[in-house]
């Protein structure tokens, strides 16, 4: 009899695990069934803001593989609109609710992949059923927002609550559609994924586009008219709104795991080993935005939900389930985004992370340009480095600038991954041509300034 593999969650991590397992084991040896509560599989939620803006013209462009492809090409059965409601480890079965047809489904498993992803943070004030308030996590969310924007009466005023990646990207998307946009952030700066000095550069860029920025301002509630949102209520007064988008971040979706007794780590996500096995629970694996990872710089368990991590973790789990051997070595938290023409990148630890992890460090801000200063289109770029004292080991980096800025973070991520010191980085053989960089690349300039800072602090 074939082994039975059940996957909970039909997006990046779950379907990567299923596909990799299938590549190594055929149906006669391994039956694979995936349960997905939504309408789609293997799609790019990161692309939703660009679909809303119109830069991506069709929803299906964001879908990598649909259920028919998984069925016909990979012999993987996908049950859409089926929400798993319980995991019974003693009976080795899952219980799912058919959201479309009604009723309950029970399915036995020998191997289980827990890939439930993360759930958007929805504050209590947003849960009252007022029309015109949207989270941005799934293609269904994007569809609902676009329908609202195209409906009557046509919205003219948008408020985005939360200034993280999704928040600033959605603010730009709504602005490009011709709406007036106000961004409300409870913290003192948008983009809390970078340090305050770099976040202020992002805030300045947002203001230049015409987006209103309200920082240090918690939202207290919503006002409505005829069942539709009319304003976001704050301590400083109401902010008029015909549409509200929530960008308050996500939490690991661990409700099923907790109920089943799976171990939860200190980060609040499911604990796994390097092969993506759930410790102490034979035959159960987990991957994606619901699990915690080892941070390679701090050595601490962290929850950093990114599609890059989810795809790699799912692949590792699938290889191992399929009989191969693979490990997931950890993360450094590399991420990039853009705000209109401004590009933002970060990797490794922020100052507060380095402090919390017990490091002594120096920081430098290096100002340069994205191209040779004399070349047309040269624009400013700020590179921030955080280096351990006295060793000089790179702990983290952030970049804010214009074209050719964000992807420079990849060079810094590689240096960080391999434990390089800023002194070693000054000799990196980086590409140079006037249309792409000054003769001293901004990365090299920042490394030199970090070396000098270390010398002045008694390295």
């Amino acid at each position: 009899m074939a082994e039975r593999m059940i996957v909970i969650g039909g997006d990046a991590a779950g379907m990567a695990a299923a596909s990799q397992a299938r590549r190594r084991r055929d149906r006669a040896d391994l039956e694979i069934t995936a349960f997905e509560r939504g309408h789609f599989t293997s799609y790019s939620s990161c692309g939703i803001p660009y679909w809303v803006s119109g830069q991506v013209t069709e929803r299906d462009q964001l879908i990598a593989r649909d259920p028919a492809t998984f069925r016909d090409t990979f012999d993987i059965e996908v049950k859409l609109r089926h929400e798993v409601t319980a995991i019974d480890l003693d009976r080795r079965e899952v219980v799912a609710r058919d959201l479309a047809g009604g009723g309950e489904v029970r399915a036995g498993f020998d191997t289980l992949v827990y890939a439930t992803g993360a759930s958007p943070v929805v504050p209590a004030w947003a849960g009252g059923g007022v029309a015109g308030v949207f989270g941005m996590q799934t293609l269904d969310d994007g569809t609902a927002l676009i329908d609202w924007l195209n409906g009557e009466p046509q919205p003219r005023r948008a408020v985005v609550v939360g200034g993280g990646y999704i928040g600033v990207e959605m603010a730009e998307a709504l602005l490009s559609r011709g709406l007036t946009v106000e961004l409300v952030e409870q913290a003192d700066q948008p983009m809390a994924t970078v340090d305050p000095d770099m976040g202020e550069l992002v805030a300045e860029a947002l203001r230049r586009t015409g987006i209103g920025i309200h920082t240090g301002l918690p939202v207290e509630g919503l006002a409505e008219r005829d069942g539709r949102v009319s304003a976001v209520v704050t301590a400083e007064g109401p902010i008029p709104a015909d549409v509200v988008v929530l960008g308050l971040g996500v939490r690991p979706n661990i409700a099923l795991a907790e109920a089943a007794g799976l171990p939860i780590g200190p980060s609040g996500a499911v604990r796994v080993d390097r092969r993506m096995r759930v410790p102490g629970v034979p035959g159960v694996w987990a991957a994606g935005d619901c699990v915690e990872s080892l941070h390679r710089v701090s050595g601490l368990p962290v929850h950093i939900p990114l599609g890059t991590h989810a795809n790699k973790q799912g692949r590792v789990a699938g290889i191992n389930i399929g009989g191969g051997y693979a490990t997931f070595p950890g993360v450094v938290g590399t991420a990039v985004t853009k705000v209109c023409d401004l590009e933002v990148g970060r990797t490794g630890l922020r100052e507060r992370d380095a402090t919390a992890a017990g490091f002594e460090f120096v920081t430098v801000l290096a100002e340069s340009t994205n191209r040779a200063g004399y070349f047309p289109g040269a624009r400013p770029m700020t590179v921030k480095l955080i280096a351990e004292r006295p060793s000089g080991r790179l702990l983290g980096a952030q970049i804010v600038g214009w074209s050719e800025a964000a992807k420079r973070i990849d060079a810094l991520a590689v240096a960080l991954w391999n434990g390089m010191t800023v002194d070693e980085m000054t000799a990196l053989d980086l590409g140079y041509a006037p249309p792409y960089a000054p003769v001293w690349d901004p990365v090299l300039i920042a490394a030199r300034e970090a070396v000098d800072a270390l010398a002045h602090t008694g390295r």
Side-chain angles (χ1 to χ4, degrees):
M1 182 180 294
E3 182 179 325
R4 301 162 301 172
M5 174 178 170
I6 295 292
V7 178
I8 306 176
D11 201 4
M15 300 318 292
S19 300
Q20 288 297 322
R22 172 59 76 228
R23 285 187 171 97
R24 289 159 176 79
R25 299 173 66 179
D26 61 29
R27 184 179 179 86
D29 183 46
L30 181 66
E31 295 179 357
I32 305 176
T33 304
F35 289 90
E36 167 55 46
R37 67 183 176 186
H39 291 89
F40 309 97
T41 56
S42 294
Y43 59 88
S44 171
S45 58
C46 298
I48 293 174
Y50 309 105
W51 174 35
V52 172
S53 73
Q55 290 174 274
V56 175
T57 57
E58 300 292 337
R59 179 198 66 198
D60 289 356
Q61 292 176 263
L62 301 179
I63 300 173
R65 291 192 179 117
D66 61 17
T69 301
F70 283 112
R71 181 188 64 240
D72 300 338
T73 304
F74 294 93
D75 206 359
I76 296 170
E77 181 181 5
V78 178
K79 292 185 178 295
L80 291 179
R81 302 296 290 148
H82 279 70
E83 181 179 17
V84 174
T85 58
I87 302 168
D88 189 328
L89 293 176
D90 293 330
R91 300 182 64 176
R92 307 292 284 184
E93 70 175 16
V94 299
V95 181
R97 182 169 58 243
D98 185 343
L99 301 177
E104 188 176 87
V105 175
R106 291 179 176 267
F109 65 83
D110 301 294
T111 298
L112 178 69
V113 176
Y114 189 89
T116 55
S119 301
V121 175
V122 179
W125 54 258
V130 178
V133 181
F134 301 90
M136 257 325 103
Q137 183 76 3
T138 67
L139 288 187
D140 292 322
D141 296 331
T143 299
L145 175 60
I146 289 172
D147 288 346
W148 183 265
L149 295 174
N150 292 335
E152 294 294 339
Q154 198 155 6
R156 296 179 295 106
R157 304 163 302 179
V159 174
V160 177
V161 182
Y165 293 117
I166 290 295
V168 298
E169 289 167 2
M170 286 305 305
E172 177 187 354
L174 294 165
L175 184 72
S176 71
R177 290 183 65 109
L179 283 76
T180 61
V181 181
E182 305 291 327
L183 188 148
V184 182
E185 169 58 56
Q186 183 170 348
D188 293 333
Q189 62 163 80
M191 294 297 291
T193 52
V194 297
D195 286 321
D197 47 5
M198 302 295 273
E200 182 54 35
L201 298 177
V202 178
E204 290 173 5
L206 287 167
R207 293 187 186 102
R208 286 195 295 268
T209 69
I211 295 171
I213 306 293
H214 308 263
T215 54
L217 186 62
V219 171
E220 298 177 347
L222 299 172
E224 63 176 285
R225 184 179 299 115
D226 300 326
R228 298 168 65 97
V229 67
S230 62
V232 169
V233 179
T234 74
E236 296 180 359
I239 302 173
D242 306 311
V243 59
V244 175
V245 175
L246 305 177
L248 295 165
V250 297
R251 296 190 180 103
N253 192 346
I254 60 170
L256 283 172
E258 283 189 304
L262 302 186
I264 306 301
S267 72
V270 177
R271 189 156 52 90
V272 292
D273 65 15
R274 287 167 56 90
R275 298 186 69 191
M276 308 313 297
R277 297 174 297 196
V278 176
V281 192
V284 178
W285 310 70
D289 291 354
C290 59
V291 307
E292 68 180 18
S293 303
L294 173 71
H295 198 292
R296 289 175 60 93
V297 181
S298 70
L300 300 173
V302 292
H303 177 245
I304 302 179
L306 290 171
T308 49
H309 302 163
N311 278 283
K312 293 170 189 171
Q313 290 169 346
R315 182 175 186 274
V316 166
I319 290 172
N320 288 313
I321 292 168
Y325 184 87
T327 61
F328 183 73
V331 301
V332 294
T334 307
V336 296
T337 191
K338 79 178 194 71
V339 184
C340 297
D341 290 335
L342 189 76
E343 301 179 3
V344 184
R346 53 91 23 110
T347 190
L349 306 182
R350 299 162 296 185
E351 288 186 41
R352 58 185 177 273
D353 302 323
T355 299
F359 289 106
E360 294 186 14
F361 58 89
V362 299
T363 65
V364 295
L365 284 176
E367 305 290 343
S368 184
T369 55
N370 58 338
R371 304 171 186 174
Y374 57 81
F375 197 87
R379 302 191 70 179
M381 183 186 306
T382 303
V383 179
K384 179 172 186 173
L385 298 187
I386 302 171
E388 185 181 25
R389 187 165 61 87
S391 71
R393 178 169 66 113
L394 182 66
L395 299 177
Q398 299 159 36
I399 297 178
V400 175
W402 308 95
S403 62
E404 293 94 47
K407 288 302 284 181
R408 274 184 167 88
I409 206 71
D410 287 343
L412 292 161
V414 171
L416 192 73
W417 188 271
N418 289 285
M420 292 184 70
T421 66
V422 289
D423 194 18
E424 291 170 329
M425 289 167 54
T426 62
L428 285 172
D429 190 1
L430 304 180
Y432 160 66
Y436 301 108
V439 66
W440 281 99
D441 190 272
V443 168
L444 302 180
I445 292 173
R448 284 168 39 194
E449 292 192 11
V451 170
D452 291 343
L454 286 161
H456 291 140
T457 58
R459 177 182 174 182

